[in-house]
Amino acid sequence: MKTFRFLTLAVAFALFSGPAEGQEPRAQQMYWGDEVPAGWTGEWPAELRTVPEKTEFRRTMTLADLHDFIDELRWRSE
């Protein structure tokens, strides 16, 4: 369980840390309550699910899995 918490914190830090040097900060759309983006079905694409989610929590992420996951999030972010 400690490993999962660590990975969650690592992902959160990577996602919410500031822009890279030389990049302008960008505004992000936030959705509240019942608001959802157009076309949202409630299902995440397989590429945006973590290893535990893909394996029904039978496996944890390796460091390489975490890096791949963060890279996929970055490529899909605005």
Side-chain angles (χ1 to χ4, degrees):
M1 191 63 162
K2 288 180 183 179
T3 302
F4 184 73
R5 279 190 233 152
F6 172 77
L7 293 175
T8 302
L9 288 173
V11 169
F13 177 78
L15 291 175
F16 298 111
S17 60
E21 188 174 325
Q23 287 184 340
E24 292 291 321
R26 57 183 180 246
Q28 295 184 1
Q29 174 67 42
M30 294 184 72
Y31 299 97
W32 299 96
D34 293 332
E35 296 179 60
V36 294
W40 173 249
T41 64
E43 294 292 324
W44 289 101
E47 300 83 20
L48 297 180
R49 295 176 65 214
T50 64
V51 171
E53 291 169 329
K54 290 177 185 177
T55 63
E56 297 180 4
F57 298 91
R58 290 186 303 257
R59 249 187 80 211
T60 59
M61 294 176 105
T62 64
L63 185 58
D65 292 333
L66 176 62
H67 285 250
D68 291 344
F69 178 72
I70 292 170
D71 285 342
E72 188 66 36
L73 290 175
R74 284 183 181 161
W75 278 106
R76 290 173 175 255
S77 297
E78 296 175 354

